[in-house]
């Protein structure tokens, strides 16, 4: 038998005994039974079946080495026990729809109405917000200006005749009252002074007569100077067209005429379309923060106005609240 040294090893290293024939015997197909194992057929798992266990252990060890903080968090959530049987308390958002578009829509839609106003100049369709249980409704002046007949449709399909209580063309606001209504769900008026750019909002109205349409977006700007027509001559415009307004020295959606008014508006990218006028702009707490009043709608090649392009404007609710007493006493009409 010849002595061989490991390849590259220093002289004097312990020799390796090479077996006769130049090869080691093959390893056994499985580990031998422990010395004290009872006699009988072997039940050791095949090597292939045991490898995933070893792999899982290795992954777990690696995770523990890298994510010690995560292991600590798990231990805290389970009160230091190795089991999650104690459970983890859910948060409010997991238990309630408050703060979601769906939750806001469900809560506020019953307080939003569709308004149809008819006068010598034609017919206009808009929206309104119920503010008292007996049927006081805030809307835009341009929705009902010059109307001889006003009808209101609630979200449940119930219809009422309404009378105009007061108007303020200078702020493009109006107050109407349903005849014989009671027990209606009034909207909660919020605080527009707390609105910030980037706040998420929901708009509800009746664009194109589609009652209870819900859109959402953000407040994209504050204190925009928007100029609209007072429209004291009555509703003459095709209700399929956007309401004419001016911004930045330019006129949009038609001629605003000679009699105009300018107000500070909230700007939103929530989709507004003809018929949204007088509807609600709502924060994620379900509070009214504005009355939708104007939208930018570029003219199409055929001359008609296209839909919303993400530039809508709303009268701040603080302006509405400050004007309510005057509207209830008849306003400027």
């Amino acid at each position: 038998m010849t002595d061989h040294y490991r390849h590259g090893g220093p002289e004097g290293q312990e020799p390796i005994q090479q077996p006769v024939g130049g090869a080691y015997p093959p390893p056994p197909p499985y580990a031998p039974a422990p010395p004290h194992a009872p006699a009988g057929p072997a039940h050791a798992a095949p090597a292939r079946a045991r490898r995933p266990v070893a792999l899982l252990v290795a992954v777990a060890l690696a995770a523990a080495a890298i994510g010690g903080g995560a292991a600590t968090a798990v231990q805290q959530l389970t009160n230091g026990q190795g089991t999650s049987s104690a459970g983890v308390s859910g948060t409010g958002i997991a238990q309630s729809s408050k703060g979601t578009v769906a939750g806001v829509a469900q809560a506020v839609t019953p307080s939003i109405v569709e308004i149809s106003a008819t006068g010598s100049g034609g017919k206009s369709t808009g929206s309104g917000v119920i503010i008292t249980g007996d049927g006081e409704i805030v809307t835009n002046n341009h929705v009902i200006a010059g109307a001889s007949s006003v009808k209101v449709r609630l979200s449940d399909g119930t219809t009422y005749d309404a009378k105009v209580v007061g108007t303020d063309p200078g702020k493009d606001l109006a107050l109407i009252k349903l005849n014989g209504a009671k027990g209606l769900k009034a909207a909660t008026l919020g605080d527009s002074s707390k609105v910030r750019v980037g706040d998420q909002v929901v708009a509800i109205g009746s664009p194109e007569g589609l009652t209870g349409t819900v859109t959402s977006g953000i407040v994209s700007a504050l204190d925009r100077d928007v100029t609209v027509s007072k429209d004291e001559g009555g509703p003459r415009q095709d209700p399929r067209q956007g309401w004419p307004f001016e911004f930045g020295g330019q006129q949009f959606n038609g001629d605003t005429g000679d009699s105009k008014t300018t107000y500070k508006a909230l700007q939103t990218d929530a989709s507004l379309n003809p018929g949204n006028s007088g509807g609600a702009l709502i924060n994620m707490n379900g509070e009214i923060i504005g009355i939708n009043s104007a939208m930018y709608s570029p003219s199409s090649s055929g001359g008609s106005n296209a839909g919303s392009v993400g530039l809508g404007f709303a009268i701040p609710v603080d302006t509405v609240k400050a004007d309510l007493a005057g509207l209830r006493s008849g306003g400027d009409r």
Side-chain angles (χ1 to χ4, degrees):
M1 182 178 297
T2 305
D3 291 340
H4 292 270
Y5 292 91
R6 291 183 176 88
H7 179 70
E11 188 174 345
Q13 186 174 0
E14 180 182 356
I16 300 175
Q17 300 296 324
Q18 179 176 344
V20 177
Y24 289 99
Y30 51 83
H36 301 291
H43 294 284
R48 181 171 298 176
R50 294 194 304 159
R51 284 175 185 163
V53 177
L55 179 61
L56 289 175
V57 172
V59 171
L61 290 175
I66 297 173
T72 301
V74 171
Q75 186 178 22
Q76 290 174 347
L77 287 174
T78 57
N79 297 322
Q81 300 174 0
T83 175
S84 60
S85 60
V88 179
S89 298
T91 61
I93 195 65
Q95 301 168 0
S96 171
S97 61
K98 183 178 181 181
T100 67
V101 173
V104 170
Q106 182 179 16
V108 183
T109 293
S111 301
I112 311 302
V113 304
E114 178 184 322
I115 299 174
S116 297
T118 304
S120 58
K123 181 179 179 180
S124 66
T125 301
S127 306
V129 180
I130 300 172
I131 61 170
T132 63
D134 60 352
E136 282 189 338
I137 295 172
V138 171
T139 187
N140 287 138
N141 176 66
H142 72 256
V143 171
I144 53 83
S148 57
S149 171
V150 178
K151 293 186 178 298
V152 173
R153 182 183 180 186
L154 305 187
S155 63
D156 63 2
T158 306
T159 59
Y160 288 90
D161 290 327
K163 64 179 181 179
V164 177
V165 176
T167 63
D168 187 344
K171 295 183 176 68
D172 195 18
L173 290 173
L175 184 69
I176 64 175
K177 178 78 179 294
L178 304 184
N179 297 331
K182 61 181 180 179
L184 304 183
K185 183 174 182 180
T188 300
L189 303 184
D191 184 350
S192 53
S193 69
K194 296 181 179 179
V195 174
R196 297 293 179 264
V197 173
D199 284 352
Q200 189 175 5
V201 290
V202 174
I204 304 178
S206 299
E208 307 289 355
L210 300 174
T211 305
T213 296
V214 177
T215 59
S216 66
I218 63 168
V219 174
S220 53
L222 303 174
D223 297 328
R224 292 296 199 200
D225 286 322
V226 175
T227 299
V228 299
S229 171
K230 289 185 178 182
D231 197 30
E232 294 173 341
R236 296 179 301 274
Q237 187 170 333
D238 184 341
R240 294 173 296 177
Q241 306 299 311
W243 181 249
F245 75 101
E246 294 180 15
F247 175 73
Q250 294 181 297
Q251 292 186 344
F252 302 98
N253 307 340
D255 186 1
T256 55
D258 295 329
S259 180
K260 307 174 184 178
T261 185
T262 301
Y263 55 81
K264 299 287 186 180
L266 303 175
Q267 180 179 302
T268 178
D269 69 351
S271 178
L272 302 180
N273 289 286
N276 272 115
S277 288
L281 190 67
I282 312 156
N283 66 20
M284 301 311 291
N285 292 323
E287 300 167 334
I288 310 300
I289 59 169
I291 300 298
N292 298 320
S293 57
M295 52 165 254
Y296 168 57
S297 180
S299 297
S300 67
S301 58
S304 62
N305 287 357
S308 172
V309 294
L311 285 174
F313 304 92
I315 301 168
V317 74
D318 287 359
T319 301
V320 177
K321 292 190 293 185
D323 206 29
L324 271 179
L327 292 172
R328 284 172 173 151
S329 63
D332 296 338
R333 73 185 186 110

